[in-house]
């Protein structure tokens, strides 16, 4: 793992799941980390545990003032900002014909506007201070629709395109922006689905590796994207899904 001593990172949604795993990787590499989340209790627990290396900020990524304050607090505490991981996300599912405007707005605001506001203010600082690297967490659903996930899938497709637009605009400022598209990952977000045996089996039918990924298996590729080894990777989408995306064809292997 690259040594990140003297480097500073923001992780939104860092109090749980994929974001939490990214925070652990960053701390392990010696970086200073600002964790932004709504989960106050978990945030203060993390701050106490990693006193000095981690600051927390109760942040709602859908509020521009919160994101501005997050970047300012990070720079004030640690003297700069080199990396940002925009991970916060969740959804309120619903069939298109039934979904309320409120639930659509909740999902799209959190998953898409939240990433826009984060990239905006992270890059605003980075562009005047030598550059940086940003990783947005989209989803395999950016490419693959799911039942009752129109808002989520549309927002995640938006995150992928936002990532490309940001790479295009920000390359001149020495800022790289890339996306990770996770498949199924074992986190509190998916627990309600995967603990139902029949639903879990339906997922496993589709995933050639026959298992969900771990949060740390998303954190590793995210760390690659900010590393020197990825210095020419910009505007890319890295699918991390146990080969799920390539499994659209019927499984003919049992007939051969
Ligand atoms: N778990 C999966 O299978 C999977 C697959 C593809 C994409 N993703 C994406 O990965 C990201 C992380 O998901 P996860 O599975 O780790 O979920 P998670 O529920 O474990 O963690 C999400 C975190 O985001 C925080 N959060 C929610 N709303 C927020 C807001 N408005 N402002 C700030 N923080 C907020 C939550 O408090 C939580 O700590 C999400 O964007 C999700 O869409 C997850």
């Amino acid at each position: 793992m690259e040594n990140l001593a003297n480097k500073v990172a923001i992780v939104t949604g860092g109090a749980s799941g994929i974001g939490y795993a990214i925070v652990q990787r960053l701390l392990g590499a010696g970086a200073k980390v600002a964790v932004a989340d709504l989960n106050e209790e978990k945030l203060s627990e993390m701050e106490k545990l990693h006193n000095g290396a981690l600051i927390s900020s109760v942040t709602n990524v859908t509020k521009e003032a919160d994101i501005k304050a997050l970047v300012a607090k990070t720079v004030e505490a640690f003297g700069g900002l080199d990396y940002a991981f925009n991970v916060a996300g969740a959804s309120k599912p619903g069939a298109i014909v039934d979904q309320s405007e409120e639930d659509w707005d909740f999902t799209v605001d959190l998953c898409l506007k939240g990433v826009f506001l984060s990239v905006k203010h992270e890059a605003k600082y980075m562009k005047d201070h030598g550059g940086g690297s940003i990783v947005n967490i989209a989803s395999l659903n950016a490419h693959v629709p799911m039942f009752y996930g129109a808002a989520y899938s549309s927002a995640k497709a938006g995150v992928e395109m936002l990532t490309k637009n940001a790479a295009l605009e920000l390359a001149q400022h020495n800022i790289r922006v890339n996306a990770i598209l996770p498949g199924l990952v074992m986190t509190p977000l998916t627990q309600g689905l995967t603990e139902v045996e029949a639903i879990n089996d339906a997922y496993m039918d589709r995933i050639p590796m026959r298992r969900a990924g771990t949060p740390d298996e998303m954190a590793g590729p995210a760390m690659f994207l900010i590393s020197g080894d990825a210095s020419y990777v910009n505007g890319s989408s890295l699918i991390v899904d146990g080969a799920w995306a390539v499994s659209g064809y019927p499984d003919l292997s049992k007939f051969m």
Side-chain angles (χ1 to χ4, degrees):
M1 197 188 292
E2 203 162 277
N3 184 345
L4 300 181
N6 304 319
K7 299 290 188 187
V8 179
I10 282 176
V11 183
T12 76
S16 176
I18 296 169
Y20 185 82
I22 291 172
V23 171
Q24 301 313 309
R25 286 267 187 156
L26 287 164
L27 291 171
K32 300 272 193 284
V33 189
V35 185
D37 205 289
L38 287 176
N39 187 339
E40 282 191 62
E41 201 183 318
K42 186 71 189 172
L43 284 178
S44 64
E45 185 189 300
M46 290 170 81
E47 193 165 75
K48 265 185 219 134
L49 195 66
H50 302 286
N51 188 21
L54 185 154
I55 59 162
S56 67
S57 177
V58 179
T59 303
N60 182 341
V61 295
T62 69
K63 306 279 178 223
E64 186 158 20
D66 282 18
I67 297 288
K68 263 176 115 165
L70 165 69
V71 173
K73 184 174 176 182
T74 306
V75 171
E76 196 188 319
F78 296 137
L81 177 62
D82 304 285
Y83 311 118
F85 299 83
N86 299 316
V87 189
S91 79
K92 290 195 176 166
I96 291 172
V97 291
D98 296 324
Q99 185 153 52
S100 67
E101 186 179 353
E102 199 185 357
D103 285 0
W104 174 277
D105 285 348
F106 171 87
T107 305
V108 177
D109 276 2
L110 171 53
C111 292
L112 181 54
K113 188 173 90 170
V115 176
F116 156 65
L117 293 173
S118 302
V119 170
K120 175 180 172 181
H121 289 284
E122 293 152 359
K124 227 179 182 32
Y125 177 85
M126 288 174 178
K127 92 183 189 30
D128 296 330
H129 297 85
S133 179
I134 298 173
V135 176
N136 297 325
I137 303 298
S139 168
L140 184 60
N141 291 124
H143 294 184
V144 181
M146 68 173 163
F147 276 94
Y148 313 128
Y152 182 77
S153 304
S154 304
K156 291 297 188 179
V159 171
E160 189 182 23
M161 183 49 77
L162 172 67
T163 301
K164 294 177 189 191
N165 273 270
L168 180 72
E169 285 184 26
L170 297 169
Q172 62 186 313
H173 301 297
N174 193 31
I175 301 171
R176 295 185 300 106
V177 190
N178 292 289
I180 300 267
L181 277 58
L184 180 68
V185 188
M186 282 181 291
T187 71
L189 189 76
T190 52
Q191 202 173 356
L193 292 170
T194 53
E195 65 192 11
V196 179
E197 203 182 333
I199 298 179
N200 196 56
D201 288 350
Y203 275 111
M204 293 312 127
D205 277 351
R206 275 282 170 192
I207 301 172
M209 286 183 71
R210 304 287 176 239
R211 65 174 179 84
T214 66
D216 194 54
E217 287 177 310
M218 305 301 124
M223 295 299 285
F224 161 70
L225 287 174
I226 61 148
S227 75
D229 283 344
S231 55
Y232 202 59
V233 182
N234 203 354
S236 282
S237 303
L238 184 51
I239 296 175
V240 188
D241 71 340
W244 185 359
V246 297
S247 70
Y249 208 73
D251 181 0
L252 299 183
S253 63
K254 48 187 141 202
F255 306 107
M256 289 172 183

